Amino acid sequence: MVLFIVGLGLADERDITVKGLDAVKQSERVYLEAYTSLLLVPKETLEDFYGKEVIVADREMVEMEADKILDGAQQKDVSFLVVGDPFGATTHTDLEMRARSQGIPVCIIHNASIMNAVGACGLQLYRFGEAISIVFFTDTWRPDSFYDRILSNRRSGLHTLCLLDIKVKEPSLESLARGKKVYEPPRLMSINTALKQLLEVEERRREGAYEPDTVCVGVARLGSHSQRIVAGSMQELLQVDFGPPLHSLVIAGDMHPIEQEYLQQFRAGSGPDAAGTAAPAAALQQD
């Protein structure tokens, strides 16, 4: 039969497409990938809406036990649900290739993701360069490989979408060293943490990829009723409470006047419920 890889969109159970919902309803089993991104509603809400049991597929299942997902898909339809779009992570490409190698037809059903919906902040999508990921620093591991890509984007005048770390069902290093997996509590990186880490790396590298007064846009819970978009300098956004996850960050490159004008509505401190210090309009003018 068919393996459906279904994009769920950005926020809740109603963001699924009609085509995606049809696929879920006709599937024998339904899996929800739950580690590269998260919906803003629990799986029980999805089950009520779909009228189907939803099996949570963590990293271990998807990467190490993919055959469990594909088992029986030659005879029955199976749906694999992905927050955002199916091709938002390489893991999903790997699952598709595994299915095809076993002669299982695959149907991809696309949806909105942060990669295109981030245009809601007013920065034009065709002016974005390579996206980067920022992971949580530890006492002994403070990687900065993303810095070179931000520097390249900025030198080319391009914006950079920063995808922030999501840790769900991650074993602690201490437990692995003892040979027994003990999972840490879930952690989802905030815009504020990402900014602190970015500024720490700039202080260490000092190559001018960005600085405290570089214009950025913080995006929280995009696509939901409580979405928050705030524009300002890195230093200003450090003072903003963006609320619950999920968060993303854009480091602006050179901006067209229309982009600059659009960003003014999101200027830090401009709204009735805005937090942080107000930024003067000139702060959103890129040199």
Side-chain angles (χ1 to χ4, degrees):
M1 297 297 286
V2 177
L3 171 67
F4 294 102
I5 305 182
V6 181
L8 294 183
L10 294 164
D12 59 36
E13 75 281 6
R14 300 183 66 85
D15 284 346
I16 193 170
T17 64
V18 174
K19 186 183 293 184
L21 186 58
D22 287 344
V24 168
K25 287 184 176 296
Q26 73 184 56
S27 292
E28 181 78 8
R29 298 193 313 278
V30 179
Y31 294 90
L32 172 64
E33 188 266 90
Y35 66 91
T36 60
S37 190
L38 299 172
L39 279 185
L40 303 181
V41 295
K43 82 175 184 76
E44 290 78 13
T45 302
L46 300 184
E47 291 175 329
D48 289 343
F49 189 72
Y50 302 155
K52 289 274 188 176
E53 178 188 4
V54 174
I55 304 165
V56 174
D58 59 20
R59 182 187 297 272
E60 291 180 6
M61 175 179 283
V62 178
E63 295 185 352
M64 308 300 294
E65 303 173 357
D67 288 342
K68 288 186 178 180
I69 298 172
L70 300 178
D71 184 43
Q74 293 91 342
Q75 292 81 36
K76 300 286 186 178
D77 293 332
V78 174
S79 283
F80 183 77
L81 311 182
V82 178
V83 179
D85 186 79
F87 291 126
T90 54
T91 296
H92 312 137
T93 305
D94 179 70
L95 183 66
E96 178 191 7
M97 293 174 65
R98 286 172 180 262
R100 294 192 188 281
S101 71
Q102 296 180 31
I104 301 169
V106 178
C107 177
I108 306 295
I109 301 176
H110 295 283
N111 210 321
S113 76
I114 187 63
M115 302 295 287
N116 56 13
V118 73
C121 76
L123 298 178
Q124 297 163 2
L125 291 177
Y126 67 87
R127 297 172 65 87
F128 277 73
E130 184 176 1
I132 62 105
S133 296
I134 302 177
V135 300
F136 281 108
F137 285 177
T138 70
D139 292 340
T140 58
W141 189 56
R142 309 180 89 77
D144 62 4
S145 58
F146 57 78
Y147 184 88
D148 296 311
R149 284 173 282 170
I150 297 173
L151 181 61
S152 176
N153 285 346
R154 295 264 295 162
R155 285 176 173 171
S156 299
L158 302 175
H159 313 311
T160 304
L161 172 60
C162 305
L163 304 174
L164 310 188
D165 201 3
I166 295 174
K167 291 191 179 299
V168 178
K169 200 178 178 182
E170 295 278 346
S172 67
L173 294 177
E174 293 81 4
S175 69
L176 290 176
R178 297 190 185 98
K180 181 179 180 181
K181 287 185 179 179
V182 177
Y183 296 104
E184 297 180 335
R187 288 195 297 158
L188 296 94
M189 184 180 288
S190 68
I191 291 165
N192 313 78
T193 296
L195 287 166
K196 290 175 184 176
Q197 294 188 181
L198 284 164
L199 290 170
E200 177 187 317
V201 171
E202 179 57 48
E203 182 66 22
R204 184 166 72 240
R205 296 282 296 266
R206 293 183 177 275
E207 296 175 47
Y210 45 83
E211 52 195 16
D213 64 357
T214 295
V215 175
C216 292
V217 187
V219 179
R221 301 173 303 283
L222 190 60
S224 75
H225 294 301
S226 66
Q227 77 173 23
R228 186 100 192 271
I229 302 174
V230 184
S233 71
M234 286 186 162
Q235 196 63 50
E236 289 161 345
L237 295 191
L238 277 172
Q239 311 307 315
V240 176
D241 179 3
F242 284 91
L246 293 170
H247 293 185
S248 300
L249 178 70
V250 179
I251 302 172
D254 296 341
M255 287 190 285
H256 187 278
I258 292 177
E259 292 178 300
Q260 294 174 350
E261 180 180 356
Y262 198 94
L263 278 188
Q264 295 307 317
Q265 66 183 303
F266 303 126
R267 181 169 55 87
S270 63
D273 64 341
T277 304
L284 298 183
Q285 304 290 324
Q286 214 48 3
D287 292 335

